[in-house]
Amino acid sequence: MKKNILFLFLLFGSIAHSQIVGKVTNAKKETLPYVNIYIEDTYTGTTTNDDGNYELNVTETGSYTVIYKFLGYKAFTKKIKIASFPFILNVTLEEESTSLDEVIINNSEDPAYRIIKATIAQRKENLAKISEFKADFYSKGLWTVKDVPKKILGREVGNMDGALDSTRSGVIYLSESISKISYKQPNDFNERIIASKVSGNDNGFSFNSAQESNFEFYKNTIDLRASLVSPIANNALSYYNYKLDGVFYEDGKLINKIMVIPRRPKDRVFSGIIYIVEDDWQLYGVDIKTTGAAIQVPFVKELAFKQNFTYDKVHDFWVKISQTINFGFGFMGLQGDGNYVSVYSNYDFEPEFTKRSFSNEVLSFEPEANKKDSVFWTGSRPVPLTNEELNDYLKKDSLQILLKSKPYLDSIDSRDNKFKLLDPITGYTYANTYEKFRIKYSGPLSGIAFSTIQGYNTNVGLQFFKWYDDNQTNWFVANVNASYGIDEDKVRFKGSLIKKFNRKNNRRISLSGGSEVQQFNASEPISPLINTISTLFFERNYLKVYELNFVRLAYQQELFNGLETFINLGYENRQPLFNTSDHYLIPNDVSYTSNNPRLPNDTNNAAIDDHSIFKSQVTARITFGQKYFSNPEMKFNIGNDLYPRLTMTFENGLGATNSDYNFSQLRAELDQDFGLGNKGEFQYRLKGGTFFGADDISFVDYQHFNGNQTRVGTTPNYTNNFNLLPYYDLSTNKGYFEAHAEHDFRGWILGKIPGINQLNFNLVVGAHVLATQDRKPYSEFSVGIDNLGFGIYRVLRIDYVVSNFGGVQDGAFVFGLKFLDLLDL
């Protein structure tokens, strides 16, 4: 009965508007999803949904020729005469029977290679044919899960706000968008979303972007985190084998059905079928897939693409009219699948663009785009909803009021706010979601560490977080933290007040102050966990610190797109600290060094004396050519890999208790990250600076460099640190320059080596240089293997690094534990 009601809702929702409606099946009465349906010689079209139903938006009576196309089936043309609406037209498609009877077989080479070579030769010409256009774009995204476990990592999953049914399966994400898109080669793109809908969130904005959905197989590579080689790329013959599976005719044109077969397993490639039009040497259709291993997203099982094209007689080329992406995923017992359906219509290949047609804003929303009612959507969406999707909208829209109600939110909070036995040492969170605030207590267990300065130490914290809107674009947070070291026997307190005003320009102001143990290098190159292990097990106490008592006022804001400013004003009192513990767990042939990084064997004299100073710092960060998305509430910067990012900082210290400690420093940083097609990803970072009036400044204010003496890496890449440089050996109060470069081949080399290509490892090479005034340069070169791990957990890396300083070379392995950066340990 329920299914019948849903079907009637779908049917009469369509009937309420002038449309051709129906169902498409095959000869076995099986429904066919994503069949392309359009009016002949127009871009008025649609596709069937997962249930095989379709709605073709036709508003005037008269005679039409409707064309049905589905890869693997014969195209079907139906001439109709509409006297009134709705016009119901059900269609049965016949499977395409391909043949090799007309193909001349060459014993030395499959006929597919001749076709592929001709298509590759015309690849650039085909790209040029779609150099600019306007179009209407529709996208729908759907994620579903099955048999969701009740707990993941010990935490209860719940029913995901009503998304899960009794079998713990259901839709966790459903959204649609309708937009106007404009494109001009090579990189100009603009999308204006006129309607956006997210199931269960009437304030939500769908980001089913046309640009993010644009996978162009005429290009050499397809960027899916890793760059995959297109089956018709210039170098495709080095990556694929091809086999002609058959040919068929459509409107007098010969269509070649070609099997695409990877030459090597685990390569960055696709497999499946592509359809190429003879003599035109253009794509008729694409039906290919790849794996999570190929794109190096291990929790993705498979990613399948289906694209359909139609012939434009006026402009004499084949145009993409629809795309479907299907995928499956699995992670920590969570299994599911999903799809994204895209429909292109109303192409204009002769747009009259002006200089104002494009800007760095590549995606925007019209006012009230997320407030369109069901009447609008019923008459505008080109792909009808399935029963599952319609049911999800009905259920979640009705639940939405409940899910935002005080009784419901209080009941959820009551469940989550239950106090547990271990909470005093592990931590506890109290939330009042209806009133939009949360209080979090951080227990001492998670902060336990050891250093020779404090001995065993830990900290506890209390945080109050208050937000003022559903998307948490405007919020306030207050923090207080207390730390204690057993051997030092001292408690320190610090706190902060932070107010964020919006997500448009990210304006934020904060006031902080208190007392803390601070590394001389404020970038904190050695984490508490790594130092604890290094100290207790190897007697190598690399952590060097002082006591900082401070008050600081900070402000940040994006002044306009691409320019961010950061201002810090503060008072600092610095006091020296000494070792208070010589405890260790495993004896070694070395002894602890002092807490003086300048004289590590001097236990009597500190690196600094007790002094105070007023400090100011102004930073400007410029992202050249920065692209961004925006909606009425938020702005999302997405950068631009064609250009670098420049950061300039002026730092000043004045009013010091010792006038020799007053100084100024000007420094700059340039960094960029960009892809090189299927050859990998290249990153670099350049830094430089100089001091003024800094001959006798405090060691705290020296320029320190991110070294590493632990042989353990904790970051995803090494473009902001040296791996063998002692932490403070080259710290300077004079001019300096450092450069870092790293290239991740992403399987381009190792993926071609038999046996090794089964492991899905990445070869990484790096180079690092540091030059300081009056000293010889320091350099490092490294070769490493990334993407190490087990199954879907690929968070390890190993590098062999060679350093050179003053003609002395050193070499060592560095073990990368990238998950420490993710866990902030």
Side-chain angles (χ1 to χ4, degrees), residues 529-676:
L529 175 64
I530 297 298
N531 180 71
T532 299
I533 296 172
S534 174
T535 305
L536 290 176
F537 292 90
F538 302 98
E539 284 191 78
R540 287 175 168 83
N541 56 324
Y542 296 121
L543 187 74
K544 307 301 176 187
V545 296
Y546 65 98
E547 180 176 286
L548 174 64
N549 304 296
F550 68 100
V551 176
R552 185 177 298 131
L553 179 67
Y555 179 84
Q556 70 178 69
Q557 179 180 341
E558 183 181 53
L559 296 181
F560 53 83
N561 181 53
L563 175 60
E564 297 172 276
T565 57
F566 307 83
I567 300 173
N568 287 276
L569 304 172
Y571 164 83
E572 298 183 2
N573 169 255
R574 294 91 168 258
Q575 298 181 15
L577 294 174
F578 295 88
N579 289 344
T580 63
S581 175
D582 58 3
H583 172 68
Y584 54 82
L585 294 179
I586 298 178
N588 289 270
D589 295 331
V590 296
S591 300
Y592 284 139
T593 59
S594 73
N595 189 42
N596 185 340
R598 310 180 80 174
L599 299 170
N601 296 318
D602 186 344
T603 60
N604 298 315
N605 296 299
I608 62 171
D609 59 2
D610 187 339
H611 67 279
S612 300
I613 191 171
F614 290 92
K615 291 193 68 175
S616 62
Q617 182 174 293
V618 179
T619 298
R621 185 164 63 198
I622 305 170
T623 305
F624 297 102
Q626 177 172 272
K627 304 292 184 181
Y628 65 94
F629 297 165
S630 71
N631 64 38
E633 297 180 0
M634 293 174 275
K635 177 175 182 279
F636 299 89
N637 297 327
I638 57 176
N640 188 335
D641 60 9
L642 295 177
Y643 304 101
R645 181 177 62 179
L646 174 65
T647 303
M648 296 182 294
T649 299
F650 180 75
E651 184 181 22
N652 191 52
L654 53 83
T657 50
N658 181 343
S659 60
D660 289 339
Y661 291 171
N662 296 333
F663 75 99
S664 296
Q665 183 191 180
L666 179 65
R667 60 179 180 266
E669 177 179 328
L670 193 71
D671 66 280
Q672 189 177 7
D673 177 351
F674 55 88
L676 294 174

Side-chain angles (χ1 to χ4, degrees), residues 149-157 331-334 793 823:
K150 292 184 179 181
K151 289 185 178 181
I152 295 179
L153 294 178
R155 295 193 61 181
E156 289 195 12
V157 177
F331 184 70
M332 291 186 177
L334 192 68
Y793 305 102
L823 299 175

